[in-house]
Amino acid sequence: MSSGQTPCVNALDAGSARRVLWKNLRLVPPGWQAGPVPASDMVTEGRRIAWIGTAGQAPAPVAGDATHDLQGAWVTPGLIDCHTHLVHGGQRADEFALRLAGASYEDIARQGGGIVSSVRATRAADEDALFEQALVRLDALRAEGVTAIEIKSGYGLDLATERKMLRVARRLGQARPVTVRTTFLGAHALPPEYAGRADDYIARVCDVMLPALQDEGLVDAVDVFCEGIGFNLAQSERVLQAATQRGLPVKMHAEQLSLLGGTALAARYGALSADHLEWLDEAGVLAMRQAGMVAVLLPGAYYFLRDTHLPPIGLLRRHGVPMALATDCNPGTSPATSLLLMMNMACTLFKLTVAEALDGVTRHAADALGAPDVTGRLAVGHLADFVVWDVDSPAELAYWMGLPRCRRVVRHGEIVG
């Protein structure tokens, strides 16, 4: 929808689902540019949007209809956090302090820190403890308008703990009105017990862990960390092969610390996304474009690690690769629970426009999420997931840092926040 037009479309029927008129709102269009947007009305019927049109022209109400006057408020689709490690044991704040005092990552790792400490804490925590810890983080994201989220495993690195993490992720989606998509990231790091035997560990990930977890209904997608401190191209390809052979979509942590060609590899397997991408080159960008992939940018990790090598925003724009944003919420490199702050960081650090940031946490994030019913768009027939904002301009969503602006959250047609 352009900023100067409001479509009048109708999917109302004689069904029994409750109808609600949301009147006098301003829909933020994809690619929003500063300027006036005419007022609209929207009708939801049960879980879905049934009608959108010019304000004052909605179909006449019938008995049982409800009405909410939004008084000219700006409305966006529900926000989508398409890359998180939300479930984990413990935290690593002391390591953060040590790094500030001059300790290197290697120093910390030799003392039993780094990812090994998160693995140790996650293995030690029971399922209920992991659930309660993750719920706090999830609620912080939901308070800012998040209605769908991806949650990765990867801090277990053994079957029992990876299962435990994915079970917690499923529980979170049952405990709160939020769509949760789970990603198996068994190939996140090499567990201590497999030191020097990376190929053996990848074989276990592919031949034992993945089949068991998928058979239990715990896996929606599969990810792999392709990096010098993670897994090489051959090992990463084994994971992608195993996942695609089982009919699962794939994604990849790629080109964060070096240029290994992981993105081009992921493109050959039709990956949903490649994520991080600070060292991505033009060949990788072209491969993403050809494969229809989404570039998931993670400014929280870039900021927290004090990185200086920017992802190739200009190349991604030039070749039309959609850019999503996510928190990368994790204990080691991005302890972030604010998707709005990530929008601000993407604009200030990566020089995204406000429109790119908004699209990055809605429609492009939905494409990276890979959930068939989560579109990040407001249109007739789509699920009624949207956020009502207390702002004078959509630019404020990427402008304020820490000021609550979320007035109301609607998911599947019901007010949930």
Side-chain angles (χ1 to χ4, degrees):
M1 181 180 71
S2 71
S3 60
Q5 296 179 318
T6 303
C8 182
V9 283
N10 196 338
L12 293 172
D13 57 31
S16 59
R18 178 173 179 265
R19 296 200 307 184
V20 180
L21 169 62
W22 308 85
K23 59 185 290 187
N24 193 18
L25 55 93
R26 287 179 289 174
L27 295 174
V28 180
W32 171 83
Q33 299 295 323
V37 170
S40 300
D41 289 346
M42 179 166 58
V43 177
T44 58
E45 187 166 8
R47 294 156 47 94
R48 298 188 179 272
I49 298 170
W51 185 93
I52 300 174
T54 302
Q57 296 184 8
V62 298
D65 283 3
T67 298
H68 296 281
D69 187 346
L70 300 184
Q71 301 178 328
W74 288 98
V75 170
T76 68
L79 304 189
I80 299 163
D81 197 351
C82 63
H83 179 132
T84 84
H85 305 255
L86 199 74
V87 177
H88 59 80
Q91 42 75 25
R92 281 151 60 184
D94 288 345
E95 293 181 19
F96 174 63
L98 288 172
R99 284 205 310 274
L100 294 177
S104 69
Y105 185 86
E106 290 77 12
D107 294 335
I108 293 169
R110 280 195 296 269
Q111 297 171 24
I115 192 173
V116 174
S117 67
S118 291
V119 171
R120 187 166 54 245
T122 304
R123 288 179 175 181
D126 64 27
E127 186 174 313
D128 289 339
L130 288 176
F131 174 79
E132 293 299 331
Q133 293 170 30
L135 193 63
V136 174
R137 297 185 278 269
L138 178 61
D139 283 344
L141 289 162
R142 289 184 55 249
E144 288 191 345
V146 169
T147 57
I149 187 170
E150 184 245 29
I151 300 177
K152 303 179 190 292
S153 65
Y155 286 115
L157 310 183
D158 61 30
L159 178 57
T161 314
E162 293 289 299
R163 175 187 288 119
K164 181 170 60 175
M165 294 181 70
L166 292 167
R167 283 174 53 87
V168 167
R170 287 281 192 246
R171 282 180 61 186
L172 290 168
Q174 297 163 359
R176 291 291 189 267
V178 61
T179 300
V180 172
R181 296 287 285 181
T182 58
T183 296
F184 172 55
L185 182 57
H188 189 197
L190 190 64
E193 60 269 26
Y194 277 86
R197 297 188 294 130
D199 287 341
D200 291 343
Y201 178 65
I202 289 296
R204 181 161 180 80
V205 166
C206 297
D207 300 338
V208 178
M209 297 167 71
L210 175 56
L213 297 171
Q214 186 189 17
D215 289 348
E216 294 170 27
L218 295 174
V219 180
D220 295 322
V222 175
D223 198 349
V224 55
F225 184 31
C226 181
E227 189 54 77
I229 63 171
F231 298 96
N232 64 31
L233 285 172
Q235 293 158 350
S236 298
E237 185 165 18
R238 286 194 65 188
V239 175
L240 300 182
Q241 286 174 339
T244 54
Q245 286 170 2
R246 298 186 66 86
L248 289 166
V250 296
K251 52 187 71 176
M252 181 181 280
H253 286 61
E255 270 67 79
Q256 180 185 8
L257 305 173
S258 61
L259 177 60
L260 294 186
T263 301
L265 171 63
R268 293 204 296 273
Y269 285 84
L272 292 169
S273 70
D275 304 30
H276 285 291
L277 304 178
E278 282 84 347
W279 289 84
L280 181 64
D281 63 359
E282 188 164 14
V285 173
L286 289 168
M288 293 186 75
R289 177 59 179 171
Q290 182 67 27
M293 293 169 62
V294 178
V296 178
L297 307 178
L298 303 171
Y302 179 91
Y303 164 83
F304 199 76
L305 292 172
R306 294 189 283 190
D307 203 347
T308 58
H309 201 283
L310 287 165
I313 304 301
L315 286 174
L316 293 167
R317 283 189 187 125
R318 185 185 313 159
H319 295 294
V321 176
M323 294 179 284
L325 300 175
T327 62
D328 192 20
C329 178
N330 75 77
T333 62
S334 188
T337 56
S338 171
L339 197 52
L340 296 182
L341 180 59
M342 298 304 103
M343 290 175 61
N344 177 277
M345 287 184 175
C347 292
T348 56
L349 299 176
F350 296 167
K351 299 182 181 180
L352 265 63
T353 66
V354 171
E356 287 171 332
L358 283 168
D359 289 345
V361 296
T362 53
R363 60 192 183 115
H364 296 328
D367 294 338
L369 190 72
D373 224 9
V374 178
T375 65
R377 299 158 174 85
L378 296 177
V380 168
H382 292 215
L383 286 173
D385 294 352
F386 58 91
V387 187
V388 183
W389 298 100
D390 186 14
V391 296
D392 295 322
S393 166
E396 292 184 55
L397 301 181
Y399 167 76
W400 294 110
M401 293 184 287
L403 184 65
R405 297 287 84 190
C406 181
R407 181 190 299 180
R408 183 175 295 171
V409 181
V410 175
R411 177 178 176 269
H412 294 186
E414 298 292 333
I415 297 174
V416 297

